[in-house]
Amino acid sequence: MTAAEQWAAELRAWAIDQRILDAAEDDPYDLPPALFAPESPSEHEPSHLHEAVRAALPPDGSVLDVGAGGGAASLPAMRARTTLHAVDQQAGMLRALEASAAEAGILATTYEGRWPDLAADVPVADVAVCGHVFYNVADLVPFVRALTDRSRGLVAVELTDAHPWVRLAPMWQEVHDQTRPEGPTVELALEVLAEAGLSPRVHERVRAPARRTGELLETWVDLTRRQLCLPRARIEEVRELMTRHPAGARRLVTVTWAGAGR
Ligand SMILES: C[S@@+](CC[C@H](N)C(=O)[O-])C[C@H]1O[C@@H](n2cnc3c(N)ncnc32)[C@H](O)[C@@H]1O
């Protein structure tokens, strides 16, 4: 089995049982834009991704952000006169990004749809960024090739050490009495990149768990409830589960390579 096949198989293993999905009140896959805002409290530590983007971005340059969410991977790295092309499959994320870009005085164009399906509709940029999207992508090689083709300078990707749903595994075990997968991991992602002919630079640091308060904390608890496929009436049980199974520190990995676009 190739690393790319292994990656796809490990992602498939996260599929939620149909009977649990059918009984869920809310979509467990829908992400709230508020948790992915560029200045959310979880983003206060210095970011190697932003530093890499800033260093590679010419004064009038352009950034392509794929799976942009609210723009957390790109907007904080941009300056006046640089432009942003943001791709996401979730319209609500793009509306939030447009508002943040307008506030920061950054000219942003948004593209709603799935990467790499709409890659040909998006201009080649000086830098392509992709933050916390790989674990959503079963067919990683064409996704990565399109990123490389749509950047004439740098491609910069950020991801955590393992699939973000790994944090839910002990809670899922208690609620649904099912063992969840432990991967895929960033190491497997790097093997897939090697198979695709890339030799990226890799930078790692340890990120402390986010300290959310107020409305953001409530949004985070509610997202966990939805991801556990529990009804709204069981929100206090989710809060208690999260206290007993707190999120730990994670390795945050930045992977960069040269773009091939013209
Ligand atoms: C976890 S969020 C990360 C958002 C942002 N990049 C950040 O670093 O905060 C992942 C985002 O990628 C989007 N996404 C996932 N797969 C995608 C694909 N194949 N094409 C376009 N958007 C995708 C989701 O809709 C979501 O907004």
Side-chain angles (χ1 to χ4, degrees):
M1 196 188 273
T2 65
E5 287 164 349
Q6 172 81 21
W7 176 269
E10 291 195 24
L11 285 180
R12 273 198 304 278
W14 280 102
I16 297 172
D17 279 0
Q18 198 57 45
R19 71 177 168 81
I20 296 177
L21 260 188
D22 289 345
E25 267 178 13
D26 302 286
D27 181 353
Y29 300 111
D30 194 46
L31 297 172
L35 291 177
F36 297 91
E39 289 176 355
S40 78
S42 59
E43 293 296 323
H44 281 327
E45 296 171 57
S47 155
H48 187 76
L49 178 75
H50 294 155
E51 282 164 19
V53 172
R54 255 183 236 121
L57 188 59
D60 297 326
S62 55
V63 174
L64 166 64
D65 189 349
V66 171
S74 53
L75 279 174
M78 302 192 64
R79 311 178 202 93
R81 304 208 326 271
T82 55
T83 53
L84 174 62
H85 297 276
V87 175
D88 204 286
Q89 62 192 11
Q90 233 182 285
M93 289 286 192
L94 293 175
R95 298 298 85 79
L97 180 145
E98 284 161 0
S100 299
E103 206 173 302
I106 301 293
L107 185 64
T109 310
T110 54
Y111 306 80
E112 186 185 337
R114 280 183 71 75
W115 191 266
D117 305 352
L118 48 48
D121 304 333
V122 176
V124 173
D126 293 302
V127 180
V129 301
C130 182
H132 305 279
V133 186
F134 270 23
Y135 294 114
N136 292 302
V137 180
D139 203 0
L140 198 52
V141 171
F143 186 97
V144 159
R145 289 216 167 108
L147 273 179
T148 308
D149 288 346
R150 288 283 147 196
S151 167
R152 68 175 73 85
L154 186 78
V155 181
V157 169
E158 187 174 74
L159 67 166
T160 46
D161 47 3
H163 193 290
W165 282 39
V166 165
R167 82 175 177 96
L168 298 171
M171 298 187 249
W172 190 279
Q173 181 80 50
E174 282 196 33
V175 169
H176 298 293
D177 196 21
Q178 288 178 344
T179 305
R180 298 300 266 158
E182 291 173 3
T185 63
V186 64
E187 282 72 26
L188 185 55
L190 293 173
E191 282 180 43
V192 178
L193 294 183
E195 269 179 11
L198 297 166
S199 319
R201 299 177 72 160
V202 179
H203 177 277
E204 283 193 20
R205 74 172 169 87
V206 173
R207 179 171 71 176
R211 276 197 224 110
R212 299 183 178 90
T213 55
E215 223 171 286
L216 267 189
L217 175 61
E218 292 313 303
T219 308
W220 178 238
V221 176
D222 193 58
L223 172 63
T224 306
R225 174 193 68 75
R226 286 193 287 106
Q227 290 179 326
L228 288 170
C229 298
L230 289 176
R232 278 158 244 152
R234 289 176 70 179
I235 191 76
E236 291 312 317
E237 184 183 337
V238 174
R239 210 184 295 281
E240 188 267 329
L241 277 168
M242 290 173 79
T243 307
R244 278 193 294 108
H245 301 287
R250 304 291 297 270
R251 274 188 299 138
L252 190 65
V253 183
T254 311
V255 186
T256 54
W257 66 91
R262 286 165 211 290

